[in-house]
Amino acid sequence: APPASTHGASPIPLAPAPDAQVWDVSNFSLVDGRLVLVGRDEEAPCRSRNRTGSSISESTNLHPAGSRRDPVADERGTRGTGRSTESETSPTSQFSNVKGLLWKRLRERKGRGVPKVETPVVTAPNGERVPSRSGSQESLLPPPSVAELDLTGDNVIVRPVHGSIVGEKFCFQIITGEGSRSFGCTSLAERDRWIENLRRTVQPNKDNCERLELALSLWVYEARDLPPRRRLRCHLHLDGTLFARTTAKVAGPDGELFWGELFQLAALPPTRALTLALCRDDHPGQLVASITVPLTELAAARQPLERWYPLSCPGEGERVPSVRVRGRYREVRVLPIVRYKELAEFITFHYRELCARLEPTIAVRHKEELAGALVRVLQSTGKAKSFLIDLGVAELDRFDDREALIFRENTLATKAIDE
């Protein structure tokens, strides 16, 4: 089994359990350090999800018990809320004059503290039990602990969640002293915006503090010498906690299996070991083979480390399974933002000269990393658009006689546009 955490057992999981309940973030608003449920669809704040994607499977409906909803209507509602997310979740709208209205709605919700009435049910022609339209809907309302989440306490953690765990692509998790809760968004940009706003609510002085950011990038390519014709997943554990898992695929008659999936795990807790565990899809708790890799091994190399890892099996066999992965573990020490002032000014006013000097001297892999860093810095200073235009014009001038090569070579311009 995966090793136990080396940092001691915690009553609150660092990662949500597989198939954990996911709340629709469009029904919540951030008010005075609290995440408040104020959505119009009060009877169904959970997300109804049809799981698809490279690392997501097994369709599941996660509406609260007792509510049966039309999947087509849910899909239309999800699309509608997705379009209005930009305005609903912006900091201006969250902290404007609607604050009083939000608190009023919350007080009205809490004022409904009457005993729940059992919803009458009727029997459909096909034998299904469906709620009666004339029955009370009080039983469908979420409990007060769900309607409001306090973010002002100590040790509040806000982190992204991999879609293979909860079955949805753009999710994040809030861990407090009372437990953990997962929220789903409609896009990556919306999720990142919510995470940033919530982290600044938890730690308003974040930019002025030194901190350590931990991230793991891991390609899970393939495995060989596996039990043939078995449907298997590769589970990624960090100090015994499941953080991601691959798609379930069937091993071939020769025991080979290819995934080719990339996992970007950011905002990780302090971790020492990565465990790769092959498990049967029909029996997730049944371990086929596993290997534990110290993260110091992946952090020592400046470039991602790729190799075959032999796996240890519970039983004895003639062939020892192995898995090929490529990963990099990064520990980035972030200084207070004032320490980066001179660097940001230099990049903002001298990026043309900087790129012209570095372009012919650095390798392609360094160009990609440099271009990504420049885009992020200049995006924060409001110069990203000018930066891309200037690099594009320089690209046109350089390949004036060879138009077929424009934006087709591994240059800083193409890498920056990709970023």
Side-chain angles (χ1 to χ4, degrees):
S5 173
T6 55
H7 299 277
S10 174
I12 302 172
L14 293 176
D19 304 329
Q21 190 178 54
V22 178
W23 299 92
D24 193 342
V25 76
S26 62
N27 290 318
F28 290 80
S29 186
L30 189 59
V31 182
D32 288 345
R34 297 174 183 270
L35 200 61
V36 183
L37 177 63
V38 292
R40 291 184 296 274
D41 194 7
E42 297 178 354
E43 283 77 16
C46 297
R47 297 174 68 87
S48 176
R49 306 163 300 147
N50 186 15
R51 302 180 181 183
T52 58
S54 62
S55 300
I56 306 171
S57 61
E58 300 176 5
S59 300
T60 304
N61 190 331
L62 291 185
H63 283 294
S67 62
R68 302 184 60 85
R69 303 173 58 83
D70 183 9
V72 178
D74 283 323
E75 183 177 358
R76 289 197 298 266
T78 303
R79 292 175 182 174
T81 55
R83 288 193 296 269
S84 62
T85 302
E86 294 292 334
S87 59
E88 291 180 2
T89 60
S90 61
T92 304
S93 64
Q94 290 173 356
F95 299 98
S96 59
N97 54 4
V98 301
K99 186 187 300 183
L101 177 61
L102 301 181
W103 285 116
K104 179 180 178 181
R105 295 187 64 179
L106 182 61
R107 286 194 297 268
E108 290 176 353
R109 184 191 308 280
K110 291 184 177 181
R112 302 173 187 173
V114 297
K116 293 183 179 180
V117 180
E118 184 69 24
T119 304
V121 296
V122 296
T123 303
N126 58 0
E128 277 194 290
R129 290 162 56 88
V130 297
S132 172
R133 295 184 179 180
S134 60
S136 171
Q137 293 186 345
E138 289 295 328
S139 60
L140 304 181
L141 293 176
S145 60
V146 172
E148 181 178 337
L149 186 62
D150 188 4
L151 303 176
T152 58
D154 296 334
N155 300 324
V156 178
I157 300 174
V158 182
R159 55 176 300 274
V161 176
H162 196 267
S164 62
I165 299 297
V166 294
E168 194 168 340
K169 289 184 177 180
F170 314 114
C171 295
F172 64 91
Q173 179 190 20
I174 300 179
I175 304 174
T176 64
E178 300 177 354
S180 65
R181 196 172 305 158
S182 299
F183 297 86
C185 304
T186 58
S187 66
L188 180 62
E190 182 189 14
R191 188 197 71 175
D192 292 344
R193 184 172 58 251
W194 269 99
I195 290 178
E196 181 64 20
N197 291 339
L198 292 170
R199 286 177 177 172
R200 293 191 179 278
T201 301
V202 173
Q203 189 179 9
N205 201 30
K206 170 188 173 184
D207 289 338
N208 299 323
C209 300
E210 183 175 330
R211 63 186 187 275
L212 188 66
E213 294 189 354
L214 309 175
L216 174 65
S217 300
L218 191 72
W219 275 101
V220 179
Y221 287 119
E222 58 182 325
R224 62 189 179 190
D225 297 330
L226 297 174
R229 299 180 180 85
R230 287 281 182 86
R231 191 174 180 85
L232 303 174
R233 290 179 184 264
C234 183
H235 291 199
L236 278 61
H237 296 263
L238 294 175
D239 282 358
T241 302
L242 178 63
F243 273 77
R245 55 185 179 177
T246 64
T247 306
K249 292 188 176 181
V250 179
D254 54 357
E256 295 185 356
L257 178 58
F258 181 82
W259 287 289
E261 297 179 14
L262 173 63
F263 298 89
Q264 299 277 12
L265 306 178
L268 296 175
T271 312
R272 296 182 182 179
L274 165 68
T275 298
L276 303 172
L278 294 180
C279 301
R280 293 179 55 178
D281 186 45
D282 52 350
H283 296 88
Q286 183 174 346
L287 185 65
V288 176
S290 66
I291 180 68
T292 299
V293 181
L295 289 176
T296 53
E297 179 179 329
L298 300 179
R302 293 189 58 85
Q303 297 300 322
L305 179 64
E306 180 177 343
R307 57 171 294 189
W308 283 93
Y309 288 96
L311 306 177
S312 59
C313 303
E316 296 182 359
E318 297 180 359
R319 299 186 300 178
V320 177
S322 57
V323 61
R324 182 168 70 96
V325 299
R326 180 172 182 260
R328 185 183 183 187
Y329 182 68
R330 304 184 67 180
E331 297 181 354
V332 180
R333 187 167 62 96
V334 183
L335 303 176
I337 195 170
V338 67
R339 301 280 295 275
Y340 299 101
K341 180 180 179 181
E342 293 183 7
L343 175 63
E345 290 178 352
F346 174 79
I347 293 177
T348 302
F349 295 106
H350 302 283
Y351 60 78
R352 297 182 186 87
E353 297 88 339
L354 179 65
C355 293
R357 294 290 184 90
L358 294 178
E359 179 83 57
T361 60
I362 61 177
V364 173
R365 61 178 182 271
H366 296 148
K367 289 180 182 179
E368 185 173 359
E369 196 167 354
L370 175 63
L374 291 176
V375 168
R376 289 190 290 271
V377 171
L378 294 172
Q379 177 74 15
S380 65
T381 61
K383 288 289 186 177
K385 181 179 179 180
S386 300
F387 171 67
L388 293 177
I389 292 175
D390 291 338
L391 286 187
V393 172
E395 185 92 348
L396 294 175
D397 293 340
R398 185 164 54 250
F399 295 106
D400 190 20
D401 299 332
R402 297 172 295 165
E403 295 182 355
L405 297 178
I406 294 176
F407 299 122
R408 293 194 177 187
E409 288 193 340
N410 291 318
T411 61
L412 283 173
T414 57
K415 298 300 182 183
I417 291 173
D418 290 341
E419 180 68 23

